[in-house]
Amino acid sequence: MRSREIEVRTGSRERVHDMTRECADFARECGGDGLLHVFVPHATAGIAIIELGSGSDDDLLAALGDLLPADDRWRHAHGSRGHGRSHVMPAFIPPYATVPVLGGRLALGTWQSVALVDLNVDNPDRRVRLSFLSD
């Protein structure tokens, strides 16, 4: 297994951050066939495979806002208003995704991208672990 940790700065707003290029570069460096596992070791972020651009990222954030409002209903209440929702989000968008790699290339569909989803405005710096598994 080969592994690399990368830093992602998500800033002070909710964000869907495209990581496809970093994932593709790592898969190309590893070469061959295998699986790329993408993991964010944070309790308040997730990894999604989704079409990005054309409003999809904004639609995802809006849907999460409807499902998990940033208000005072959350028992886990420290940090910014509604912070507890960030701890619930990984139950819907898990902190990992696995993508097949064929010949050093991500085997994503035409419109699929790999994205870090972060609702936690209190933690602007994220780490993401990329692991390439092959035989």
Side-chain angles (χ1 to χ4, degrees):
M1 179 175 82
R2 291 183 60 186
S3 189
R4 172 181 299 157
E5 189 172 89
I6 60 175
E7 301 284 329
V8 177
R9 182 150 182 85
T10 55
S12 60
R13 61 182 176 86
E14 297 176 358
R15 180 127 184 245
V16 177
H17 175 79
D18 188 357
M19 298 193 52
T20 310
R21 184 180 49 82
E22 292 96 330
C23 292
D25 291 348
F26 182 65
R28 187 174 37 260
E29 289 172 25
C30 293
D33 297 346
L35 296 172
L36 175 66
H37 187 73
V38 184
F39 176 73
V40 57
H42 297 279
T44 58
I47 301 293
I49 296 183
I50 185 173
E51 177 182 1
L52 295 176
S54 302
S56 297
D57 6 15
D58 292 333
D59 289 342
L60 175 58
L61 291 175
L64 289 171
D66 290 343
L67 182 64
L68 305 168
D71 58 22
D72 294 325
R73 74 182 68 200
W74 308 100
R75 290 185 184 109
H76 185 108
H78 67 82
S80 62
R81 185 170 190 253
H83 176 78
R85 77 190 190 122
S86 297
H87 288 272
V88 173
M89 189 205 62
F92 297 96
I93 299 176
Y96 60 86
T98 302
V99 179
V101 176
L102 302 172
R105 297 183 59 163
L106 299 177
L108 291 169
T110 302
W111 303 112
Q112 289 180 318
S113 297
V114 180
L116 169 68
V117 180
D118 190 0
L119 300 182
N120 185 353
V121 299
D122 297 324
N123 186 358
D125 298 306
R126 298 300 187 164
R127 294 175 293 123
V128 179
R129 167 77 50 195
L130 305 178
S131 299
F132 183 75
L133 297 97
S134 64
D135 54 357

